[in-house]
Amino acid sequence: MLPHQIELLSPARDADIGIEAVNHGADAVYIGGPGFGARANAANSVHDIERLVRHAHRYHARVFVTLNTILRDDELEPARRLAWQLHAIGVDALIVQDMGLLELDLPPIELHASTQCDIRTPAKARFLQDVGFSQIVLARELSLPQIAAIDQALGPRDAPGRAVLEYFIHGALCVAYSGQCYISHATTGRSANRGDCSQACRLPWDVLDGQGRLIAHDKHVLSMKDNNQSANLRALIDAGVRSFKIEGRYKDMAYVKNITAHYRRLLDAILEERPDLAPSSSGRCTYTFTPDPGQNFNRDFTDYFTHGRQIDIGAFDSPKNPGRPIGWLVRVAADHLEIETDDPHTELLNGDGLCCFDARNQLLGLQTNRVQRLGPGSAGGVRWRIEPKDPIDTYRSLRRGTVVNRNRSVAWERLLARPSAERRIDLWLRLHADGDTLVLTATDADGFHGQATLPGPWELAQDQQSQPQRLHQGLDRLGETIFAAADITIDLPAPWFVPASRLNALRRAALDNLMAAREGGRPHGQRRPEVQPPVPYPDDVLTYLGNVYNHKARDFYARHGVRVIDAAFESHEERGEVSLMITKHCVRYSLSLCPKQAKGVTGVQGTVRAEPLTIVQGDQRFTLRFDCKPCEMHVIGRLQPHVVRHAQRMQQEQPLRFYRRRPVNPPNGARCGTSASTD
């Protein structure tokens, strides 16, 4: 039985970041194309993606392109053309959300089900496998037993046509189930399912009880800490996960380098222990730095629901990066601050970012303009004078003894700005003779071979004793290649003299042939055929939560047995109060008001009971309702009139085509059948 391949999947905002992700150990990279990706500001040209593909394929690493927004009818043909362009440049897979794409003439390329497909149940996962998806991204909210149940539902792990389970292991957490958040579109017209989320979840909210009493004030109650599954990789592998995904297509180069290297090291340690597992790409990485997730932007870490519900998963005080404690405030002077560090080895540099929580528990940021070491501190650390970039009055609310964190290290940024990793594939070289012809055979760690010959005759070297060493050194000149010599064997009948120029040409020819063999033997994924006859969708009714925005998607679900198919929220047919966000996170539980925690909790001005709560931010007000059977929270609200008016104006200027289940102007609110007209 072949080992199961383990894939480390890294994000790329652009091709250069993607190339560094590969250099730092990624087995695969996902990146946005020129359109239709769920990160509107992370688009890339086909030409740039091709550059990334060429680099990744040298290591048998793969490149996936996101095509994961919901699409209007008029966008389907451009998306289809883009899919063919991406296939032509060697992209390995498309990550999609919209099932309308499966009704089109797509190229024979792997399809991966996006996280926006909201894959939480074994039935949904099995359905997506049966309609031809090669890889499916599980919801972040799943626990280990839930992942294992989905893995079991997909059949034997070695079975042909078995989909790969992909799971997010690091990065920012959306509070809602992916694909099930409409609060951005309802309030601003910016659709998260179309790649333009306004991130209402990161805002501060007041929480009120049923009598209007204040339970929490100005708290980021919908803001989650950042995901970190470093301690759970072995358990996730045992549960069936094979692709380990890092979030962050908006993140910078330093983040991708650092987090990729961090998980590469952790996974390699597991692979060393487990002969039943293997990496899905080639090469070993060396680094000029020690990976440390705490050095990058984060909101503190959580492993979310991997081990079941935890109370401390929210970043309620601030959605910003609180950094790491380095010391405390000693003095606030007229033009500077003074702090003392805990560790005498802590170094501060001009430009470092510091922060601390003030008396109101608000995170206060401070960018240093000039730092000066004053000498030893009182507790074994070092005392520093800090001249901040902003006026000193900004920090008057701080008090002596306030804990000071560093959330930006200039030294770390400089380290990661330089070349910081090298990825090499082990190579065995053997130089021998066939008559008077030199034969160089190159064999890499994956078992691929390349060979080149150099005809003689050859004269004996003048310095016969040192000639083998010269040949060895000449063959070991691999600096500009992706290889590192594990062993070089010189097996000649005599110490022949080979000019350096001819030896270099022989080495290059052998490696060129080896690279050709590697490319010829590189695995090429294909779109998996759909099970016939078409399998039924797990439900026969789709509400707006199904995100059906075009008629091809409607046809797909109808073909799979769905009888009632509502239009996507973006079609503006849902004008009343609906669930604008569905989340596993529970504000009531986080505030210790869950009936499973206590029947009643004494709160402000009396007893706060487990009842619907309200969150308020400015003129925005939403009701929180709690579905205790699946243990989920719904944020209830309605589509704002100004969003509808703006869409109507835009529609007059440039008519668009998309799926509606109801007529454009339904008489008396009546509904029509699923063959509704477009608008």
Side-chain angles (χ1 to χ4, degrees), residues 145-438:
Q146 289 173 318
I147 294 170
I150 290 175
D151 175 65
Q152 185 175 12
L154 298 185
R157 292 174 180 172
D158 297 309
R162 171 60 147 76
V164 172
L165 293 186
E166 181 180 316
Y167 187 72
F168 279 98
I169 55 170
H170 200 94
L173 286 167
C174 295
V175 63
Y177 292 121
S178 292
Q180 305 291 279
C181 186
Y182 310 94
I183 195 168
S184 175
H185 188 80
T187 57
T188 69
R190 295 168 54 184
S191 168
N193 279 315
R194 288 177 57 77
D196 196 20
C197 179
S198 61
Q199 294 193 318
C201 55
R202 300 299 182 187
L203 297 175
W205 300 87
D206 288 344
V207 183
L208 309 178
D209 73 358
Q211 284 72 50
R213 294 172 297 189
L214 188 66
I215 296 177
H217 172 61
D218 216 24
K219 290 294 183 181
H220 303 264
V221 293
L222 299 179
S223 179
M224 298 294 94
K225 293 180 179 179
D226 284 3
N227 187 21
N228 187 330
Q229 301 292 337
S230 297
N232 298 324
L233 299 181
R234 289 173 175 81
L236 288 167
I237 289 173
D238 292 340
V241 174
R242 292 296 177 266
S243 178
F244 294 82
K245 187 172 193 174
I246 298 167
E247 181 275 338
R249 283 202 294 122
Y250 278 162
K251 297 297 178 66
D252 60 19
M253 178 87 76
Y255 169 92
V256 174
K257 284 183 173 185
N258 182 34
I259 304 304
T260 300
H262 169 71
Y263 283 100
R264 180 74 273 158
R265 284 188 163 186
L266 293 180
L267 288 173
D268 282 349
I270 297 172
L271 297 179
E272 286 289 329
E273 303 168 0
R274 298 275 300 268
D276 59 317
L277 304 174
S280 63
S281 64
S282 308
R284 295 178 293 105
C285 295
T286 56
Y287 308 104
T288 64
F289 67 102
T290 300
D292 180 0
Q295 291 283 3
N296 292 114
F297 179 98
N298 66 83
R299 302 172 181 91
D300 284 339
F301 291 121
T302 175
D303 64 3
Y304 214 30
F305 291 91
T306 308
H307 295 286
R309 184 174 294 282
Q310 311 292 325
I311 197 166
D312 189 24
I313 63 175
F316 295 165
D317 291 326
S318 174
K320 300 177 182 178
N321 179 12
R324 287 175 164 175
I326 60 167
W328 62 92
L329 188 65
V330 175
R331 180 182 178 218
V332 181
D335 60 349
H336 69 277
L337 307 172
E338 292 181 14
I339 69 170
E340 186 170 326
T341 57
D342 300 299
D343 187 339
H345 301 294
T346 299
E347 290 290 333
L348 299 179
L349 294 178
N350 297 342
D352 277 358
L354 306 180
C355 61
C356 43
F357 287 94
D358 63 15
R360 296 178 300 161
N361 209 32
Q362 298 293 313
L363 189 64
L364 187 63
L366 182 157
Q367 182 174 341
T368 63
N369 190 44
R370 184 171 181 269
V371 302
Q372 179 183 357
R373 181 192 290 263
L374 297 179
S378 60
V382 177
R383 188 158 176 156
W384 296 82
R385 173 190 168 104
I386 307 293
E387 294 180 15
K389 182 179 179 181
D390 295 323
I392 200 68
D393 288 344
T394 308
Y395 312 104
R396 291 296 184 186
S397 62
L398 297 180
R399 297 292 179 264
R400 179 185 175 90
T402 300
V403 174
V404 177
N405 297 351
R406 176 162 59 186
N407 58 6
R408 181 195 176 209
S409 168
V410 170
W412 176 263
E413 291 180 356
R414 289 174 180 172
L415 179 63
L416 271 294
R418 299 191 291 265
S420 50
E422 192 173 75
R423 182 170 181 171
R424 299 279 183 162
I425 301 170
D426 283 343
L427 182 70
W428 286 260
L429 292 169
R430 179 172 180 259
L431 182 65
H432 66 283
D434 182 5
D436 61 358
T437 298
L438 290 177

